[in-house]
Amino acid sequence: MPERLSVEQSALETIWFHVTTPNALRVPGGMKVFTKGEGCYLTDIEGRTYLDGLAGGAYVTNIGHGRAEVANALVEQAKKLAYVTPYNFVAPPTIELATKLGELTPGDLDRVFFVSGGSEAVETAMKIAKQYQWLNGEHKRTKVIGRRGSYHGATFYAMSISGASHEYNNKIFSPLVPGCVQVPSHNCYRCEYKLEYPQCDILCVEMIERQILHEGPETVAAIIAEPVPAAASIYPPPAEYLPRLREIADKYGILLILDEVINGFGRTGKMFACEHWGVVPDIMTVAKGITSGYAAMGAAITGPKVTSSFESAEGRESGLNHVISFGGHATASAAALKNIEILERENLVDNSAKMGAYLLEGFNELRKYPIVGDVRGLGLLAAVELVRDKKTREPFRPEDQMPARVTAHMQELGLIARTAQVVEFGPPLTVGRAEIEQIVDVMEKTVVWFSKEMGIG
């Protein structure tokens, strides 16, 4: 016991944890020290095992924990060559990975700019879009349109275009990057226009066109969107939404960036979420599932429409004015190749579709409870929205401390999940029916418990 306390105390005193407040880390269960992962399970320093309902806590470990194959690929590549600069050097696994990504991604996306993670991928995509417009003589196209409720990362540009916590970020870090325009999202459960689908005629996407006209089409460089916003409430779009967004972008000469950092590599039941709607972006951002967290890697991927403008330019202007020292890291590339091999060999994308449908089937049974306002998801990306009043959709108040209490209770029952506006789930794609049933069982027990705690029902 003294040793465990020493480790936890050392962590609290030396590590600056991401996002979480110091006080939240000090409460029971606020911080976990995990020592082992195997398949869909995590084991903490006390020896207690939890079902990992969030794939490492952030929708990352798509192939599950403890894959010796990936570890061996990392080691073998590091023995041969760990690193060369991405400026004008490259290692064979990086070339092989870029080729593989060109085969996997939809449409003609075939040119890969490697980075270290999702935020960097978004930064890269924005800079590609702006330089592309500049090279084409469109020097006024400096604005990027994002959606309220979106999340695109924590670096400055990615944070500025994110809609989630935009007001909070603006208050602390103002001025944010200029030219980041926010428009309503497609959250049908909490529609900003107070309309119901399909009678709404997808007003949320039509308002993007109106915003473009208001800004001046000649000033807009790109639109960025997650196919399924994941870090902020998890809501799949209406069927017509992304195809219409593609039409609007094309109509006004605007590049469409689809952020698949969380959605990609099987999370939604397709290799990439945009495939559900047959939409090919101009630029796609990926990370997380590209290596399943076994190494740090991300990428911005584009095709001839964009790259041809750079290739026809002369001198320094023909190169993207952007540098990431660890982009295309040789050992990370080796890990990504082995990760993708496992995804394909074990049919994990198909398993995501099947187990995701089974998960939503179970969650939909919970709609009978008075605090379950909505259930939604796609593949193994699912959410249960808890409310004080189902009829009015009134959310729980800050003083109810719903997120912290619900998350802690699920941990007590042996399940790792996350609660913000909604209770979020995204287990490894290796999950089976038994694990899905455990997730639904814990969610139901937690709903019953919290209903009693709040005196609702």
Side-chain angles (χ1 to χ4, degrees):
M1 184 68 73
E3 180 182 354
R4 179 183 67 81
L5 291 176
S6 175
V7 170
E8 291 183 347
Q9 189 61 36
S10 178
L12 289 169
E13 292 176 357
T14 60
I15 297 173
W16 199 325
F17 286 82
H18 298 206
V19 182
T20 311
T21 63
N23 287 339
L25 290 164
R26 291 186 172 92
V27 301
M31 179 191 67
K32 290 285 184 186
V33 179
F34 288 110
T35 59
K36 181 182 178 182
E38 185 173 356
C40 295
Y41 294 89
L42 290 167
T43 301
D44 68 16
I45 199 169
E46 297 177 311
R48 186 176 180 191
T49 297
Y50 301 80
L51 174 57
D52 181 5
L54 273 176
Y59 317 102
V60 174
T61 54
N62 286 6
I63 62 170
H65 301 280
R67 292 283 193 159
E69 286 181 77
V70 184
N72 291 338
L74 278 163
V75 171
E76 290 306 310
Q77 181 57 44
K79 286 179 180 178
K80 291 183 286 188
L81 176 66
Y83 175 83
V84 289
T85 177
Y87 310 158
N88 58 340
F89 300 156
V90 67
T94 308
I95 301 170
E96 187 180 347
L97 177 59
T99 302
K100 182 64 176 177
L101 291 173
E103 295 169 357
L104 288 177
T105 49
D108 59 357
L109 300 177
D110 62 359
R111 188 68 65 86
V112 186
F113 191 105
F114 287 109
V115 296
S116 307
S119 296
E120 288 181 356
V122 169
E123 294 278 331
T124 302
M126 307 274 233
K127 291 178 78 172
I128 290 172
K130 285 196 171 184
Q131 191 168 342
Y132 163 84
Q133 299 286 10
W134 192 89
L135 289 172
N136 289 342
E138 299 278 2
H139 297 176
K140 292 183 179 180
R141 288 189 183 266
T142 60
K143 297 175 185 175
V144 179
I145 294 177
R147 286 108 44 92
R148 291 197 280 273
S150 65
Y151 179 78
H152 298 292
T155 52
F156 214 81
Y157 208 153
M159 175 185 69
S160 297
I161 202 61
S162 293
S165 303
H166 187 84
E167 181 180 353
Y168 177 80
N169 289 331
N170 192 50
K171 178 174 65 176
I172 295 177
F173 301 113
S174 179
L176 299 179
V177 175
C180 294
V181 180
Q182 299 288 325
V183 296
S185 69
H186 60 261
N187 186 343
C188 292
Y189 185 69
R190 297 196 178 278
C191 175
E192 291 192 38
Y193 304 108
K194 301 188 184 303
L195 299 172
E196 294 288 335
Y197 176 78
Q199 287 76 21
C200 63
D201 290 328
I202 323 297
L203 180 61
C204 53
V205 75
E206 298 305 330
M207 288 301 293
I208 294 177
E209 181 173 23
R210 296 188 196 181
Q211 187 68 43
I212 290 168
L213 293 172
H214 173 75
E215 300 291 332
E218 72 283 359
T219 70
V220 181
I223 299 169
I224 186 167
E226 302 156 281
V228 182
S233 297
I234 303 177
Y235 39 93
E240 308 93 328
Y241 186 93
L242 279 179
R244 179 64 181 135
L245 191 60
R246 174 74 273 180
E247 290 176 1
I248 291 170
D250 289 339
K251 181 177 180 180
Y252 296 103
I254 297 167
L255 293 187
L256 177 60
I257 303 169
L258 290 185
D259 183 352
E260 296 253 8
V261 166
I262 290 176
N263 288 187
F265 296 96
R267 175 56 54 189
T268 67
K270 297 280 188 183
M271 184 61 78
F272 298 100
C274 61
E275 295 177 275
H276 288 283
W277 300 278
V279 172
V280 178
D282 298 306
I283 308 172
M284 175 188 289
T285 60
V286 298
K288 296 183 185 287
I290 193 173
T291 65
S292 287
Y294 285 79
M297 175 169 270
I301 309 172
T302 189
K305 171 182 172 179
V306 173
T307 57
S308 60
S309 294
F310 289 83
E311 291 166 355
S312 62
E314 296 181 357
R316 184 176 178 181
E317 293 176 4
S318 64
L320 178 65
N321 191 24
H322 189 53
V323 173
I324 300 293
S325 292
F326 292 103
H329 197 280
T331 57
S333 296
L337 284 166
K338 185 58 66 173
N339 170 69
I340 292 169
E341 178 187 319
I342 291 170
L343 281 171
E344 293 185 316
R345 185 181 72 224
E346 298 183 6
N347 298 314
L348 295 183
V349 178
D350 184 54
N351 191 63
S352 174
K354 291 177 180 176
M355 291 301 102
Y358 190 45
L359 180 62
L360 281 180
E361 180 184 330
F363 281 160
N364 275 313
E365 293 294 321
L366 307 184
R367 289 180 181 272
K368 62 188 177 185
Y369 293 107
I371 67 169
V372 176
D374 194 31
V375 169
R376 52 188 182 261
L378 187 63
L380 285 172
L381 190 59
V384 178
E385 182 153 355
L386 304 182
V387 295
R388 286 184 65 93
D389 188 303
K390 185 176 289 193
K391 183 177 181 180
T392 64
R393 303 182 182 181
E394 178 191 357
F396 282 98
R397 302 161 188 164
E399 58 265 30
D400 297 327
Q401 298 183 311
M402 184 274 288
R405 294 167 69 187
V406 165
T407 299
H409 190 76
M410 286 190 291
Q411 282 191 19
E412 290 175 12
L413 297 177
L415 174 64
I416 301 294
R418 181 171 63 196
T419 309
Q421 299 175 49
V422 302
V423 191
E424 303 170 0
F425 299 91
L429 309 190
T430 55
V431 71
R433 291 178 71 90
E435 288 83 14
I436 294 295
E437 288 165 5
Q438 183 180 345
I439 291 171
V440 174
D441 180 62
V442 169
M443 185 71 248
E444 182 168 23
K445 288 176 178 175
T446 301
V447 165
V448 171
W449 166 79
F450 196 65
S451 296
K452 292 180 179 178
E453 287 282 303
M454 297 302 300
I456 299 173

